[in-house]
Amino acid sequence: MDFNTFIKIRRDLHQIPELGFKEFKTQAYLLEYLSRLPQDTLEIKTWKTGIFVRVKGMNPKKTIGYRADIDGLPITEATGLEFKSLHDGQMHACGHDFHMTIALGLISYFVAHPIDDHLLFIFQPAEEGPGGAEPMLKTEVMQEWKPDMIIALHIAPEYPVGTIATREGLLFANTSELFIDLEGKGGHAAYPHQTNDMVVAACALVNQLQSVISRNVDPLDSAVITIGKITGGTVQNIIAETARLEGTIRTLSVESMARVKERIEALVKGVEVGYQCRTSIDYGAMYHQVYNNEELARDFIAFAEEKENIDVIVCKEAMTGEDFGYMLKEIPGFMFWLGVNSDHGLHHAKLDPDEDAIKTAVDLLTTYIKYKSK
């Protein structure tokens, strides 16, 4: 395979990042590429902005699945690359351009080198939100073509090219978005006694939320509450009538997620009473943990360790969120980290993964899929 072709594909995709369920140019690009492949063994169906691609096997006894997410992030790119994003305020800052390119490389290989079993490639929209994996699972196409096992990868800036990392069991955390709205009574800055100031209430709530993890979660467990955005008020001399907190919750167990939410709700009720305001909580998108099938993950680790150009790390769990967890909840499979050696991390405006990792992934996965099809 000529990997220069796939470097170009990755750069093309990098220039057209689109947010969840708005990946129209991305879908069109993928479909156009797929249309240029020999069609004898290909079956292609679309769902919203996603795509299902089945490569028919010669003597199928099972179906092996591979999922690639396709959406970008609302980040203004600052890499300075010649092929930087053409969409203002949007960037492939989580490696989904890599994930798609690797999937196209695998499809191209198996169209030219068919194996016995069916392969199902899932180009999934909206991984960054509001979540595409769970609704895709419920489609008629997925039920008809449902794989017997499924694989996915995620780029890892902290690992060098040639390194992969995974583990048996829990890999990524349970996650939930968190949006808290506060509504009090605004007024003139000179008359605070006539108002209920929601900037003060919001600040107090942020401080109180810090106690949830330290005092309500087992110290031997792990959880995170991060408030990443606070908005409130209009101008400097008007006391804020409303405020909004936006954040995320991450836990390593379903039980801890329920406990953390219970404590958040109790604290918000306390703020409501203490600061004489109205409140509401919205948990937005919630992602199930990524839990690798232990037997398949163990088998993949052993397989990869035998490859000369691959270094395998059995990593720790991460607080990363990934809606691929919903697929693993229903289908045996695993996810692994792919080293891409970037100085800047995921969701950073200067993320610049090493494109040599595309060949690493395609070479490893073509041999692994052939091995699993024997």
Side-chain angles (χ1 to χ4, degrees):
M1 294 175 68
D2 179 8
F3 279 94
N4 289 326
T5 298
F6 295 100
I7 298 300
K8 181 182 184 304
I9 288 170
R10 180 262 161 163
R11 294 181 179 187
D12 288 346
L13 290 167
H14 187 81
Q15 290 185 300
I16 55 169
E18 298 166 291
L19 303 184
F21 291 126
K22 297 179 181 178
E23 306 96 333
F24 303 110
K25 291 181 182 179
T26 302
Q27 184 188 55
Y29 184 97
L30 295 170
L31 289 171
E32 195 279 329
Y33 176 84
L34 292 167
S35 73
R36 291 188 274 115
L37 295 175
Q39 300 295 300
D40 295 350
T41 60
L42 281 183
E43 294 179 275
I44 301 170
K45 296 185 180 182
T46 60
W47 173 80
K48 294 191 177 182
T49 49
I51 309 171
F52 294 95
V53 182
R54 183 159 78 160
V55 182
K56 291 181 286 187
M58 297 184 295
N59 184 27
K61 295 178 182 175
K62 62 179 179 293
T63 297
I64 300 171
Y66 179 86
R67 175 273 207 166
D69 38 13
I70 70 173
D71 56 324
L73 283 160
I75 292 174
T76 299
E77 183 166 349
T79 62
L81 296 169
E82 292 182 2
F83 53 91
K84 68 181 181 181
S85 172
L86 299 176
H87 295 171
D88 289 342
Q90 297 177 55
M91 178 187 174
H92 273 303
C94 202
H96 298 186
D97 48 346
F98 268 61
H99 302 171
M100 289 184 280
T101 302
I102 290 163
L104 292 178
L106 294 172
I107 293 170
S108 301
Y109 179 87
F110 286 111
V111 165
H113 305 87
I115 57 175
D116 284 343
D117 290 322
H118 291 322
L119 302 176
L120 179 63
F121 294 89
I122 302 163
F123 291 92
Q124 180 216 303
E127 187 278 325
E128 299 292 352
E134 191 173 25
M136 264 190 128
L137 277 170
K138 298 176 181 177
T139 62
E140 291 183 6
V141 179
M142 189 67 162
Q143 295 308 309
E144 179 186 354
W145 289 350
K146 192 170 183 178
D148 298 284
M149 66 169 287
I150 194 163
I151 307 165
L153 63 80
H154 201 298
I155 67 162
E158 67 272 27
Y159 293 130
V161 173
T163 295
I164 65 164
T166 192
R167 61 180 287 112
E168 301 171 31
L170 185 68
L171 183 66
F172 293 168
N174 300 274
T175 70
S176 174
E177 294 177 330
L178 176 63
F179 304 99
I180 303 173
D181 287 293
L182 310 173
E183 183 180 357
K185 182 180 178 183
H188 197 292
Y191 303 103
H193 58 292
Q194 298 176 358
T195 69
N196 294 320
D197 189 338
M198 290 304 97
V199 165
V200 173
C203 291
L205 180 55
V206 170
N207 284 329
Q208 291 175 36
L209 289 173
Q210 307 312 305
S211 70
V212 174
I213 305 304
S214 64
R215 288 296 175 267
N216 300 116
V217 174
D218 187 331
L220 299 179
D221 196 356
S222 290
V224 171
I225 299 174
T226 293
I227 301 299
K229 182 179 179 181
I230 305 177
T231 54
T234 53
V235 296
Q236 83 281 0
N237 62 348
I238 297 177
I239 287 174
E241 184 161 325
T242 63
R244 180 174 172 87
L245 310 182
E246 300 184 16
T248 182
I249 310 167
R250 312 286 172 112
T251 71
L252 292 184
S253 69
V254 175
E255 294 77 17
S256 287
M257 179 63 75
R259 178 62 174 156
V260 166
K261 287 183 176 180
E262 179 185 321
R263 288 298 302 142
I264 290 172
E265 290 161 18
L267 291 173
V268 170
K269 284 293 184 184
V271 166
E272 193 172 82
V273 174
Y275 291 86
Q276 296 179 297
C277 61
R278 291 178 294 277
T279 65
S280 65
I281 302 174
D282 178 7
Y283 292 115
M286 293 176 280
Y287 288 176
H288 192 269
Q289 63 191 19
V290 172
Y291 196 92
N292 287 340
N293 178 277
E294 294 182 359
E295 181 179 346
L296 289 173
R298 185 163 56 247
D299 178 66
F300 176 69
I301 290 169
F303 176 87
E305 285 176 336
E306 294 180 356
K307 302 303 169 186
E308 289 185 3
N309 298 322
I310 299 293
D311 292 323
V312 180
I313 294 174
V314 178
C315 60
K316 294 182 178 180
E317 309 95 328
M319 284 296 182
T320 317
E322 242 288 358
D323 70 346
F324 183 60
Y326 286 111
M327 295 190 178
L328 291 180
K329 187 179 179 182
E330 290 197 16
I331 305 165
F334 61 89
M335 174 174 262
F336 67 93
W337 291 109
L338 174 71
V340 295
N341 193 36
S342 171
D343 290 337
H344 297 89
L346 300 175
H347 293 207
H348 195 286
K350 291 185 178 181
L351 175 71
D352 184 17
D354 188 330
E355 293 169 328
D356 287 344
I358 294 170
K359 184 178 187 304
T360 299
V362 173
D363 286 347
L364 175 62
L365 287 171
T366 50
T367 56
Y368 179 72
I369 290 170
K370 287 190 291 185
Y371 156 74
K372 293 304 290 185
S373 186
K374 288 180 180 178

